[in-house]
Amino acid sequence: MSKKAFVSREQVEKIAQQYPTPFYLYDEKGIRENAKAVKEAFSWNEGFKEYFAVKANPNPRLIEILRGYGCGNDCSSLTELMLSKAMGLDGTDIMFSSNDTPDEEYAYANEIGAIINLDDITHIEFLDRILNGHFPETMSCRYNPGGVYEVCNGIMDNPGDAKYGFTKEQMFEGFRMLKERGVKYFGIHAFLASNTVTNEYYPMLAGDLFRLAVELKKEIGVEIKFINLSGGVGVAYRPEQTANDIYEIGAGVHRVYDEILVPAGMGNVAIYTEMGRFMMAPYGAVVTKAIHEKHTYKEYIGVDACAVNLMRPAIYGAYHHITVLGKEELPCDYVYDVTGSLCENCDKFAIDRKLPKIDRGDYLFIHDAGAHGYSMGYNYNGKLKCAELLLREDGSVELIRRAETPKDYFATLDGFEIYKKMGF
Ligand SMILES: *Cc1c(COP(=O)(O)O)cnc(C)c1O
């Protein structure tokens, strides 16, 4: 499958007159169509809810779009909870799936009525102390079966090496402890494989969690209110990959639901998801301009974005497809490293990538940056984070986060002598 940019060179030239590159550009139409498809794919389940993983993209304007399709927020930190609260989310619209959680984050999550998903059995007593024994009615626990998790097409991950979750034994003990402390409704959560590009992952995970739910109900006598399949549904970063089909994924989960939960008299259990990548990655791009070409032992194109804007290639060696806008139809008969300006040799958006001939001033569209992109950014080398723009369905462009300025960068020195000398 070929990957197409959702803007043309002409559009970007116009946008760049008002907002200089680099910038993030999001496709409202794509976000909406996908969110609608997710909702439809799970509409067979009455209580279904997608809790968008805020860490994937904490822009409130984009989250607001998802809200229109019934999505809640999955939060992992104090600031994500604060953002959700300020956006007017109701308690049960917020899932708090954190780990290694500090006191004040639990206290705040409880104060705003978020559903707390515990990462570890020792957190039950930890929380007991913070809440003075007053547990909320509904609590959730994160399960980790250990070992290696393998999906049919060979994609696998290594839960046994992961820091998250309760062991199976601890799930039973934990539910018992929570029941003793007055908890009435229970949730089960697991995140066992990341960026799965296969329609098998959710149905397989659902089967495992449904069987566990039946056992937990039978043995502990608790009411299971929801099963949270969490994130991990991937996107086709590479053009040769076949994208996941959310309708097939939803139907696969439906089949195991009917096989396992319905016969156990648990046909009222809600399915929750916490997708981040699948909801947003394909609908965001980094748009950057080629500012240098360098010919040494290799051919380099230097762009005005760097790993500060999009870190995934630098830290994971992640592939992000690149389209040279306006040159979509030209042959890819050049081989380039596309680099940013950090003093780090890993600051490359592409290595030995076949691309059409790139000239200075060309705009590069770096695909699939809508999740774990802007939010993962940092400020190394004192580089500033760029603006975020929304390409509306009517073709207009809206600034949804301004670019950082030096004043933002130095703001934590506010009150120190040096800050005054800079004349802010
Ligand atoms: C990161 C994360 C997600 C989202 O993962 P994606 O791969 O972006 O779908 C969901 N839940 C939890 C607890 C996470 O840590």
Side-chain angles (χ1 to χ4, degrees):
M1 231 179 66
S2 70
K3 288 181 83 80
K4 284 197 175 62
F6 54 76
V7 273
S8 66
R9 177 174 182 122
E10 291 68 38
Q11 276 175 294
V12 163
E13 278 170 347
K14 215 168 127 213
I15 298 168
Q17 284 173 10
Q18 193 175 0
Y19 305 107
T21 54
F23 51 76
Y24 267 84
L25 187 65
Y26 298 98
D27 173 24
E28 179 178 13
K29 186 163 176 283
I31 296 169
R32 287 188 182 280
E33 284 171 0
N34 183 65
K36 188 162 164 274
V38 168
K39 192 176 172 191
E40 281 171 10
F42 286 92
S43 58
W44 54 267
N45 182 256
E46 207 182 299
F48 174 75
K49 196 172 181 74
E50 149 72 2
Y51 288 87
F52 175 64
V54 174
K55 73 165 196 263
N57 194 323
N59 190 298
R61 181 68 177 83
L62 301 179
I63 297 173
E64 201 54 53
I65 295 174
L66 297 179
R67 296 269 296 144
Y69 300 87
C71 298
N73 285 2
D74 166 40
C75 299
S76 60
S77 67
L78 179 66
T79 50
E80 291 177 3
L81 289 168
M82 289 169 67
L83 182 72
S84 305
K85 169 77 177 155
M87 288 185 65
L89 272 81
D90 179 58
T92 54
D93 282 341
I94 306 173
M95 183 69 61
F96 185 47
S97 285
S98 61
N99 71 92
D100 189 20
T101 314
D103 280 48
E104 62 274 18
E105 300 198 2
Y106 270 140
Y108 186 67
N110 182 59
E111 185 189 315
I112 65 174
I115 302 174
I116 296 175
N117 178 36
L118 294 173
D119 180 69
D120 187 56
I121 193 162
T122 63
H123 288 214
I124 295 173
E125 278 172 7
F126 189 85
L127 198 57
D128 200 332
R129 179 176 51 75
I130 296 165
L131 306 181
N132 289 318
H134 300 294
F135 273 79
E137 260 194 348
T138 304
M139 289 288 300
S140 174
C141 294
R142 181 169 183 165
Y143 172 54
N144 181 338
V148 170
Y149 206 72
E150 204 162 351
V151 188
C152 316
N153 70 350
I155 289 185
M156 54 177 213
D157 226 314
N158 213 341
D161 265 354
K163 65 174 177 171
Y164 312 106
F166 292 53
T167 66
K168 187 165 181 186
E169 246 176 19
Q170 290 172 344
M171 287 296 287
F172 286 83
E173 181 57 20
F175 272 39
R176 215 171 269 126
M177 289 169 71
L178 288 169
K179 190 183 171 198
E180 275 167 20
R181 286 164 171 78
V183 173
K184 285 204 187 82
Y185 307 108
F186 290 77
I188 301 173
H189 171 283
F191 188 159
L192 304 186
S194 205
N195 191 32
T196 57
V197 189
T198 161
N199 298 326
E200 305 292 334
Y201 170 63
Y202 259 8
M204 189 173 151
L205 172 69
D208 292 345
L209 297 185
F210 294 167
R211 280 182 284 272
L212 176 65
V214 173
E215 277 185 66
L216 279 163
K217 182 184 169 158
K218 208 153 83 188
E219 199 158 313
I220 322 285
V222 289
E223 181 167 348
I224 312 283
K225 187 168 154 191
F226 63 83
I227 288 176
N228 185 345
L229 303 176
S230 192
V233 178
V235 300
Y237 286 103
R238 293 175 181 271
E240 66 272 19
Q241 287 177 308
T242 306
N244 284 331
D245 178 347
I246 197 66
Y247 291 101
E248 196 163 308
I249 292 173
V253 175
H254 193 181
R255 267 193 303 278
V256 284
Y257 191 96
D258 283 351
E259 251 169 57
I260 302 166
L261 287 184
V262 173
M266 296 171 73
N268 60 344
V269 171
I271 301 297
Y272 293 167
T273 55
E274 296 174 340
M275 292 181 281
R277 195 184 312 269
F278 188 79
M279 300 307 287
M280 217 50 105
Y283 317 111
V286 174
V287 178
T288 181
K289 191 160 69 176
I291 56 172
H292 292 289
E293 49 180 287
K294 173 167 177 151
H295 318 280
T296 54
Y297 306 103
K298 293 184 95 170
E299 292 296 301
Y300 295 100
I301 293 296
V303 296
D304 59 5
C306 63
V308 161
N309 308 107
L310 175 65
M311 201 179 185
R312 298 183 73 259
I315 61 167
Y316 307 128
Y319 180 95
H320 279 265
H321 198 66
I322 293 176
T323 296
V324 184
L325 295 174
K327 297 186 170 177
E328 288 86 346
E329 305 306 323
L330 298 187
C332 293
D333 49 4
Y334 280 72
V335 176
Y336 293 114
D337 281 14
V338 177
T339 81
S341 56
L342 296 189
C343 306
E344 275 282 11
N345 197 41
C346 65
D347 184 16
K348 293 179 176 176
F349 292 112
I351 296 173
D352 297 331
R353 182 77 58 89
K354 285 186 185 152
L355 288 164
K357 181 174 189 310
I358 297 174
D359 297 296
R360 270 187 277 161
D362 276 346
Y363 291 105
L364 276 61
F365 180 98
I366 305 178
H367 291 251
D368 302 315
H372 311 294
Y374 181 92
S375 60
M376 211 181 255
Y378 60 139
N379 280 118
Y380 196 46
N381 280 204
K383 294 279 178 176
L384 305 175
K385 296 174 88 180
C386 65
E388 294 186 293
L389 307 172
L390 179 64
L391 178 63
R392 306 281 313 268
E393 287 186 290
D394 64 8
S396 63
V397 167
E398 181 185 333
L399 179 70
I400 58 172
R401 189 193 297 270
R402 67 165 171 81
E404 269 183 350
T405 64
K407 190 177 173 184
D408 296 319
Y409 178 74
F410 291 116
T412 45
L413 292 172
D414 183 9
F416 292 88
E417 195 56 31
I418 189 85
Y419 189 77
K420 286 177 212 144
K421 285 191 180 156
M422 289 183 210
F424 292 127

